[in-house]
């Protein structure tokens, strides 16, 4: 085939679906809260949207209603992709609210299926042509997958006319991460977004992935671009921390206390060549600090979990998980090497209260699970604020009846790591506040519709 004949085929393959808009809602059930109805109505009319709602605000019923509307409108199935173990939880919610949903692992969609649920890891087995739309549950988890898995997910969504992203932390502390959400929805591509609104230390848009020529790059807003950036984000995303953000009564959505306790553990040894402990500065030093003090830190967590209540114990190293699961009474570990079915069963058993202490890594179980039955969390500091936020929010979420205690265990050498995590928390709060402010402005404009005026403006005939 001639090269010029291949080019139109290439363009069609790379094109986004042309349907930029949604449709009028077909069915909005009464069981949704007022703020949920408003979000769902907006997402259906938009067609391809992101709902960034805090943990426990009902993203599952909202995405089920959205999916049901797309099924009714397109007469095709809708796929909901979830993190590991969350698919079973979502099926329970679907049954609770009266929706027909089925879990599929092999990619073979049953005839007449309405809402199909699967895990992200199994998405490559499905054909996007079988669906009228797709929901990415806990969509912020996408950046934790390797490049090939992320590419499969992005390519799968690209031609679907209706798409919904649902997460609590779309970009927890890095504004530029919003570009991945935008790109998956058919809005500005990640690099296009960076070129339009940001600049970096090297003043070069090709510094993708945060590095160029071996140097780390820091993206910053261009002059006067911040306001327009947040207006653009608010055009395709809605964020909410509590119902009162939308002007509604918080009612049932009131959180108990969050008690964060910092435990500094004395190391039995010091860094090679040193007379006393010093803060670990480089990443290599921090990794060495973590491995050198593994025993002391794990022993402290064992002491902190010496009670009869449930505890959720997060670790980052395999050796940490092995030691904790063997030293804590009643502990069960979920490893990355475990079979997916085994991981799911253990995570769900902890959710049901059948396991007293769950030991696992954030990248395995920190997204999507509702673990309000547990009110004690232990954490080793890391540079990922999102992992910390999601790990704590498995338990500290709307619906939790007890105060939640978070014990952060570290050595003096890990002080810089903890400070990094805390600094990212401040940036995340600033980002969410900015998005909320511009989102509220957009809502005010929409609610003050033209039809609210009692007197129609008179337009001169010459116009």
């Amino acid at each position: 085939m001639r090269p010029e004949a291949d080019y139109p085929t290439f363009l069609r393959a790379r094109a986004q679906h042309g349907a930029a808009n949604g449709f009028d809602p077909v069915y909005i059930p009464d069981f949704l809260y007022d703020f949920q109805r408003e979000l769902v109505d907006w997402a259906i009319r938009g067609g391809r949207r992101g709902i960034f709602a805090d943990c426990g605000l009902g993203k599952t019923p909202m995405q089920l209603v959205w999916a049901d509307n797309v099924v009714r409108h397109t007469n095709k199935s809708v796929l909901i992709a979830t993190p590991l173990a969350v698919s079973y939880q979502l099926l329970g919610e679907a049954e609770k609210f009266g929706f027909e949903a089925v879990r599929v692992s092999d990619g073979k969609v049953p005839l007449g299926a309405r809402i199909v649920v699967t895990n992200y890891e199994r998405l490559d087995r499905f054909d996007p042509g079988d669906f009228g739309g797709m929901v990415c549950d806990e969509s912020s988890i996408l950046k934790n997958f390797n490049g090939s898995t992320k590419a499969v997910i992005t390519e799968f969504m690209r031609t679907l006319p209706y798409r919904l992203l649902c997460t609590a932390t779309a970009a927890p502390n890095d504004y530029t991460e919003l570009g991945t959400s935008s790109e998956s929805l058919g809005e500005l591509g990640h690099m296009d977004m960076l070129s339009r609104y940001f600049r970096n230390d090297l003043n070069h848009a090709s510094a993708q992935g945060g590095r160029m020529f071996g140097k780390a790059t820091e993206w910053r807003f261009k002059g006067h671009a911040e306001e327009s950036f947040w207006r653009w984000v608010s055009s395709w995303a809605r964020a909410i921390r509590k119902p009162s953000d939308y002007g509604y009564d918080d009612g049932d959505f009131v959180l108990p206390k969050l008690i964060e306790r910092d435990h500094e553990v004395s190391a039995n040894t010091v860094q090679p060549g040193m007379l006393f402990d010093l803060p670990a500065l480089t990443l290599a030093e921090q990794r060495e600090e973590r491995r050198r003090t593994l025993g002391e830190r794990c022993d402290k967590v064992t002491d902190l979990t010496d009670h009869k209540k449930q505890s959720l114990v997060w670790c980052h190293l395999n050796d940490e998980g092995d030691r904790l699961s063997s030293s804590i009474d009643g502990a069960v570990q979920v490893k990355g090497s475990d079979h997916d079915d085994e991981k799911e069963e253990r995570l769900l058993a902890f959710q049901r209260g059948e396991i007293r202490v769950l030991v696992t890594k954030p990248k395995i179980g920190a997204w999507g699970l509702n673990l309000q039955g547990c009110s004690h969390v232990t954490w080793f500091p890391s540079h990922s604020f999102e992992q910390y936020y999601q790990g704590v929010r498995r338990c500290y979420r709307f619906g939790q009846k007890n105060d939640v205690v978070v014990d952060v265990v570290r050595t003096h050498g890990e002080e810089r790591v903890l400070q990094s995590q805390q600094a990212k928390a401040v940036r995340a709060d600033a980002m969410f506040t900015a998005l909320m402010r511009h989102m509220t402005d957009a809502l005010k404009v929409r609610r003050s519709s033209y039809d609210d005026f009692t007197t129609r403006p008179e337009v001169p005939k010459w116009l």
Side-chain angles (χ1 to χ4, degrees):
M1 185 178 292
R2 291 178 293 113
E4 56 268 26
D6 285 341
Y7 190 61
T9 303
F10 168 79
L11 290 179
R12 285 194 297 272
R14 303 307 303 168
Q16 293 284 349
H17 195 284
N21 300 315
F23 52 90
D24 292 337
V26 181
Y27 167 66
I28 302 293
D30 293 335
F31 63 72
L32 290 179
Y33 288 88
D34 290 341
F35 73 91
Q36 293 172 340
R37 282 198 291 271
E38 184 161 335
L39 281 169
V40 172
D41 179 271
W42 169 82
I44 293 171
R45 295 180 188 278
R48 300 199 294 260
R49 294 292 183 259
I51 295 179
F52 306 152
D54 216 340
C55 302
L57 283 176
K59 289 188 291 294
T60 299
M62 285 192 280
Q63 63 188 243
L64 286 168
V65 173
W66 184 92
D68 183 69
N69 274 267
V70 174
V71 171
R72 294 173 185 238
H73 180 73
T74 64
N75 200 30
K76 296 184 72 173
S77 302
V78 169
L79 182 67
I80 300 181
T82 75
L84 191 67
V86 179
S87 56
Y88 286 107
Q89 181 177 282
L90 194 146
L91 290 176
E93 291 288 289
E95 182 178 1
K96 172 184 174 182
F97 292 110
F99 293 105
E100 297 178 22
V102 59
R103 185 175 187 266
V104 179
S105 300
D106 57 6
K108 299 177 181 178
V109 180
L111 184 65
R114 296 177 64 82
I115 299 175
V116 177
V117 184
T118 194
N119 295 336
Y120 283 113
E121 294 84 353
R122 293 161 180 159
L123 192 61
D124 59 342
R125 306 176 187 181
F126 291 83
D127 181 358
D130 293 335
F131 304 98
M134 179 178 176
V135 179
C136 283
D137 185 33
E138 299 295 343
S139 57
S140 67
I141 198 177
L142 297 183
K143 61 178 171 288
N144 290 334
F145 290 121
N146 59 38
S148 59
T149 304
K150 189 185 300 183
V152 168
I153 297 170
T154 303
E155 179 64 20
F156 191 96
M157 293 185 68
R158 185 176 56 80
T159 56
L160 292 176
Y162 303 110
R163 313 169 205 170
L164 180 66
L165 304 181
C166 289
T167 186
T169 54
N173 58 305
D174 186 351
Y175 301 159
T176 65
E177 289 179 6
L178 286 166
T180 58
S181 296
S182 166
E183 189 168 4
S184 66
L185 291 173
E187 297 285 337
L188 279 177
H190 184 242
M191 293 309 299
D192 292 330
M193 181 204 72
L194 291 176
S195 299
R196 178 173 297 187
Y197 297 109
F198 296 88
R199 61 178 299 161
N200 58 62
D201 299 328
L202 301 175
N203 195 27
H204 200 298
S206 299
Q208 192 171 11
R211 303 192 68 84
M212 186 176 182
F213 307 129
K215 288 184 63 178
T217 60
E218 180 182 353
W219 292 94
R220 303 183 303 276
F221 282 115
K222 292 180 178 179
H224 308 292
E226 187 171 0
E227 290 289 320
S228 58
F229 171 78
W230 289 116
R231 283 197 298 270
W232 168 70
V233 173
S234 297
S235 71
W236 53 265
R238 286 287 181 267
I240 183 170
R241 284 173 170 166
K242 55 187 182 301
S244 56
D245 291 337
Y246 272 52
Y248 297 107
D249 182 21
D250 286 336
D252 299 329
F253 297 92
V254 178
L255 286 168
K257 291 181 180 179
L258 178 65
I259 304 170
E260 296 175 287
R261 305 188 301 198
D262 179 25
H263 302 271
E264 184 175 307
V265 178
S266 298
N268 294 332
T269 59
V270 297
Q271 297 96 324
M274 298 295 174
L275 296 177
F276 49 84
D277 269 341
L278 294 173
L281 301 180
T282 66
L283 286 175
E285 290 175 350
Q286 291 165 5
R287 293 190 190 101
E288 175 59 30
E289 175 76 13
R290 179 173 291 177
R291 294 189 179 280
R292 184 174 57 84
T293 63
L294 185 147
E296 297 93 312
R297 293 181 294 104
C298 289
D299 289 346
K300 181 62 177 180
V301 171
T302 300
D303 293 339
L304 291 168
T305 54
D306 186 17
H307 51 69
K308 296 182 180 180
K309 297 180 180 180
Q310 273 196 316
S311 292
L312 179 57
V313 176
W314 297 110
C315 62
H316 304 293
L317 303 175
N318 291 335
D319 290 342
E320 289 174 345
D322 293 341
R323 178 153 181 157
L324 289 165
S325 60
S326 62
S327 62
I328 299 175
D329 184 39
V332 173
Q333 182 181 185
V334 177
K335 296 182 177 182
S337 59
D338 294 338
H339 190 276
D340 284 351
D341 292 339
E342 188 176 4
K343 292 177 187 174
E344 289 181 330
E345 178 52 38
R346 291 180 177 179
L347 291 170
L348 293 171
F350 181 75
Q351 184 184 58
R352 295 190 297 263
E354 298 169 4
I355 295 174
R356 191 185 74 83
V357 178
L358 179 71
V359 179
T360 191
K361 296 179 181 179
K363 64 181 181 181
I364 296 174
W367 277 264
L369 287 171
N370 300 331
L371 303 176
Q372 295 98 321
C374 174
S375 57
H376 181 219
V377 179
T378 70
W379 179 262
F380 295 136
S382 76
H383 287 284
S384 174
F385 166 73
E386 183 184 17
Q387 286 188 355
Y388 175 74
Y389 182 88
Q390 291 284 2
V392 171
R393 286 287 175 153
R394 294 311 95 221
C395 303
Y396 186 64
R397 53 193 295 119
F398 295 112
Q400 173 64 257
K401 303 301 182 184
N402 304 310
D403 294 343
V404 175
V405 176
V406 180
D407 286 315
V408 179
V409 177
R410 63 174 180 85
T411 63
H412 177 68
E414 292 180 299
E415 185 175 356
R416 292 290 183 91
V417 182
L418 181 61
Q419 291 173 350
S420 171
Q421 182 179 291
Q422 292 169 340
K424 290 178 179 179
V426 173
R427 292 200 295 271
D429 185 70
M431 190 212 79
F432 213 101
T433 299
L435 179 54
M436 284 296 308
R437 177 164 57 87
H438 289 282
M439 182 206 70
T440 302
D441 292 341
L443 286 173
K444 287 179 180 178
V445 171
R446 188 167 67 84
R447 286 170 174 171
S448 301
S449 64
Y450 185 90
D451 293 333
D452 290 340
F453 294 97
T454 56
T455 303
R456 308 285 288 189
E458 293 184 6
V459 180
K461 292 182 180 179
W462 60 270
L463 286 177

